[in-house]
Amino acid sequence: MKKYIVLFAVLAFVTEISAQQNYFNPTVKVKEYLEPAIPHPDQDKEMKDKMSKLKKKPNILIILIDDMGYGDIGVYGGGVAIGAPTPNMDKLAHEGLQLTSTYAQPTCTPSRAAIMTGRIPARSGLTRPTLTGENPKVNPWASENTTAKILSQNGYKSAISGKWHLGESKGSLPNEVGYDEWLGFGSVQSEYAQFVNEWIYPDLINKPERLAAIKKMVDQNILTGKKGGENKIVQPISNIEELSKVDQVFANYSEDFIRRSVKENKPFYLIHSFSKVHNDNYVSEGYKGKSPAAIPYKDAIVEVDDIVGRLMKLLQDLKIDENTLVFLTSDNGPNEDVWPDGGYTPFRGGKGTTWEGGVRVPGIAYWKGMIAPGRISDGLFDICDMFNTSLSAAGVVDKIPSSNYIDGVDQLSFFLSDKGVSNRNAVFMYSETKFMAIRWQEYKVHMNVFNTSATRRNLDQSTIQSIGMSPWVYNIYADPKEQLSQGHRYFEWGIPGVMGLIAAHLATYQKYPMKDIGLKKPGAE
Ligand code: CA
């Protein structure tokens, strides 16, 4: 009898699945609070077989570069061709899985929040970058769970090295939101640069009273701290020379953290979070003029690439490269507003917008012996997927608390299966709390658009426009620069299905609402 009850339950489940599935939405909802994913039983089995052969829990290293463009790395069309060779990042891609459809958020803070919480920033409230001395009125972290927190509760040693930029008030720094330890700075490169470069910021620096007042608003130090302890000053960032060295300080700390974890025989979770190549770029000793382009941004790319090479060499030297999942990405598209101190994208728009140039970023997954070398895929990947994927690699994906909706999808089988495809059906794009666009298969469909008619003023002089009756639709294969909307002309067949995906996505806010932490701009609608 019991057997039959189980059989009926399974049949009911399967029937429900098939009723839910259609061409536009082949996903399956497993739990109320988890984003539905596309089931791939064969590749799941291949992934599980590979994982079962591991002798130890794997390490996870996320390399996060700030504001680097999709086109800056050689294998993405940059490198030598644009005056800044990237041999180490190219090697990582050649020996791993190069993703061509990785999506970040349009700016720093939201992207970082998404990677760490697995959630669309509208849900965590971290919807835009915090500015000089600004701290959210409500601590978003009080009701968020970071990957670091969950892994640290499950035998991992967790750390972040480098840029934070997710709030600096009490309860908001890394060692207070789940990281076992960290070394870095609370804010962003440009915030420290504005106090030290009088050529760029004369109206601040050459007015002593103003400078003194604004300096009081920002902690200009590299800090370090451990969970449960106070943060201590490692060194100040009080001049260009000190600012130019920060990425070397962060690299040294990452190397030390990895070595200590291996010595303690503990699996680690580390986010190596570069300060570069966010403006204003000042390279450390030996890098000035090192790139063929010999301009600061390009020299900074060369320095970043060297550090990636150093970290990878350390994994080899310590013989842990076969036990470490590495994922390299950028937190948003290049900042075109700060030219020539910004990166390159072949796509429309840049940082700050939801055109492809703002949100489509490099994504390279590497795991020696586990991810087949030389793979390249245009499968959809949202950087918030690194939340689920990291937990899955650590074998604790079932430890995700049910209190929050998780927008991330577990992509471990996409990574590990030799012919793996993405488990994600669509990517949803926002500007702050406003829904903007969706990427589904090779189509990008905008419901609201960024008007960037002022050239290279994506952040400083753009507006958001509503569309007319027809959504703006681009076939990203045929029109990767999103130049000629073809909504009702060629995509009539797809609009109802895609609108259904958006409606289902927006419906999740009924049970799991957006969180307002006070980052809404005064005067804005
Ligand atoms: Ca950024």
Side-chain angles (χ1 to χ4, degrees), residues 204-429:
L204 174 59
I205 292 178
N206 296 330
K207 294 202 175 214
E209 280 182 21
R210 181 178 291 174
L211 181 64
I214 304 298
K215 270 190 165 182
K216 278 188 195 149
M217 296 164 69
V218 182
D219 184 324
Q220 300 136 79
N221 295 293
I222 294 178
L223 302 173
T224 191
K226 287 198 158 70
K227 191 181 277 173
E230 292 295 314
N231 282 298
K232 294 176 199 140
I233 294 173
V234 175
Q235 65 179 72
I237 313 168
S238 50
N239 53 48
I240 289 176
E241 200 195 343
E242 282 166 351
L243 185 54
S244 73
K245 288 178 183 162
V246 295
D247 275 307
Q248 296 296 327
V249 176
F250 302 157
N252 293 341
Y253 169 73
S254 284
E255 289 183 325
D256 179 56
F257 173 78
I258 293 171
R259 281 204 181 91
R260 281 188 285 119
S261 304
V262 170
K263 211 170 175 184
E264 290 171 31
N265 204 18
K266 271 194 130 181
F268 67 79
Y269 169 81
L270 170 66
I271 300 184
H272 182 83
S273 172
F274 279 97
S275 171
K276 293 181 175 65
V277 283
H278 193 292
N279 64 291
D280 306 318
N281 281 290
Y282 309 100
V283 288
S284 66
E285 211 178 334
Y287 286 96
K288 207 176 266 186
K290 201 175 176 190
S291 69
I295 58 177
Y297 182 87
K298 304 289 184 176
D299 292 343
I301 288 282
V302 170
E303 184 175 352
V304 163
D305 188 71
D306 275 2
I307 290 171
V308 170
R310 261 172 70 186
L311 295 175
M312 295 313 296
K313 185 171 181 304
L314 181 66
L315 300 184
Q316 285 164 18
D317 291 349
L318 295 172
K319 299 187 170 50
I320 54 170
D321 49 340
E322 291 189 6
N323 201 46
T324 305
L325 167 63
V326 181
F327 187 75
L328 180 144
T329 192
S330 174
D331 66 339
N332 47 253
N335 189 346
E336 293 192 316
D337 294 40
V338 295
W339 187 90
D341 201 21
Y344 168 66
T345 180
F347 305 121
R348 177 174 180 176
K351 176 181 180 181
T353 75
T354 41
W355 295 110
E356 291 288 279
V359 289
R360 197 153 154 197
V361 292
I364 301 170
Y366 171 90
W367 189 348
K368 192 179 174 190
M370 295 289 275
I371 294 177
R375 278 175 66 204
I376 179 160
S377 170
D378 76 333
L380 296 182
F381 192 88
D382 186 312
I383 57 165
C384 74
D385 296 343
M386 278 315 291
F387 173 84
N388 308 61
T389 307
S390 301
L391 296 174
S392 182
V396 292
V397 77
D398 58 333
K399 305 277 186 193
I400 298 174
S402 60
S403 48
N404 287 338
Y405 189 84
I406 301 298
D407 297 278
V409 162
D410 178 0
Q411 298 273 31
L412 193 64
S413 70
F414 176 27
F415 285 4
L416 297 196
S417 169
D418 289 352
K419 289 181 181 162
V421 293
S422 174
N423 299 320
R424 170 172 284 283
N425 188 45
V427 175
F428 301 99
M429 302 173 198

Side-chain angles (χ1 to χ4, degrees), residues 66-67 106-113 129 163 165 278 331-332 351:
D66 200 358
D67 283 16
T107 52
C108 311
T109 300
S111 265
R112 286 147 202 276
K163 172 181 170 172
H165 208 188
H278 193 292
D331 66 339
N332 47 253
K351 176 181 180 181

Side-chain angles (χ1 to χ4, degrees), residues 478-511:
D479 182 13
K481 289 178 187 288
E482 298 171 283
Q483 288 172 320
L484 186 68
S485 174
Q486 48 169 243
H488 84 288
R489 176 69 180 85
Y490 297 109
F491 195 66
E492 188 185 327
W493 59 268
I495 289 177
V498 165
M499 288 201 300
L501 295 177
I502 298 169
H505 165 67
L506 295 178
T508 61
Y509 289 106
Q510 287 168 8
K511 186 161 182 194

Side-chain angles (χ1 to χ4, degrees), residues 8-228:
F8 277 123
V10 169
L11 278 176
F13 184 59
V14 171
T15 314
E16 200 186 332
I17 289 170
S18 42
Q20 282 171 359
Q21 284 181 322
N22 65 47
Y23 182 72
F24 289 88
N25 189 3
T27 63
V28 170
K29 185 176 268 306
V30 176
K31 285 185 176 155
E32 182 68 21
Y33 58 94
L34 295 180
E35 178 76 4
I38 305 172
H40 293 115
D42 291 349
Q43 76 180 37
D44 279 353
K45 187 181 176 304
E46 195 181 336
M47 175 267 285
K48 280 176 187 154
D49 286 349
K50 279 191 180 179
M51 290 300 290
S52 68
K53 287 178 189 131
L54 284 183
K55 292 191 185 80
K56 283 179 175 180
K57 289 249 183 194
N59 308 303
I60 297 151
L61 169 61
I62 296 175
I63 300 175
L64 183 58
I65 302 159
D66 200 358
D67 283 16
M68 184 175 69
Y70 180 94
D72 279 326
I73 304 178
V75 291
Y76 285 89
V80 172
I82 57 170
T86 56
N88 293 298
M89 291 190 273
D90 295 348
K91 185 168 185 273
L92 203 63
H94 288 315
E95 295 177 0
L97 166 62
Q98 181 187 353
L99 302 176
T100 63
S101 291
T102 299
Y103 287 89
Q105 298 293 323
T107 52
C108 311
T109 300
S111 265
R112 286 147 202 276
I115 282 192
M116 293 175 201
T117 63
R119 279 149 62 75
I120 284 174
R123 294 192 211 270
S124 64
L126 289 153
T127 52
R128 66 164 173 83
T130 54
L131 305 173
T132 304
E134 184 185 45
N135 275 304
K137 290 179 187 71
V138 175
N139 179 0
W141 297 107
S143 50
E144 295 296 327
N145 299 298
T146 57
T147 323
K149 182 178 167 187
I150 299 169
L151 286 178
S152 161
Q153 287 164 349
N154 287 280
Y156 272 70
K157 194 173 164 75
S158 61
I160 181 166
S161 169
K163 172 181 170 172
W164 177 239
H165 208 188
L166 284 160
E168 295 174 74
S169 56
K170 190 98 190 109
S172 295
L173 284 169
N175 53 332
E176 298 164 326
V177 306
Y179 291 84
D180 291 321
E181 56 177 273
W182 81 296
L183 182 145
F185 56 55
S187 185
V188 47
Q189 175 87 0
S190 51
E191 211 151 281
Y192 309 107
Q194 67 188 353
F195 299 128
V196 298
N197 188 327
E198 68 171 83
W199 198 89
I200 304 180
Y201 309 99
D203 51 333
L204 174 59
I205 292 178
N206 296 330
K207 294 202 175 214
E209 280 182 21
R210 181 178 291 174
L211 181 64
I214 304 298
K215 270 190 165 182
K216 278 188 195 149
M217 296 164 69
V218 182
D219 184 324
Q220 300 136 79
N221 295 293
I222 294 178
L223 302 173
T224 191
K226 287 198 158 70
K227 191 181 277 173

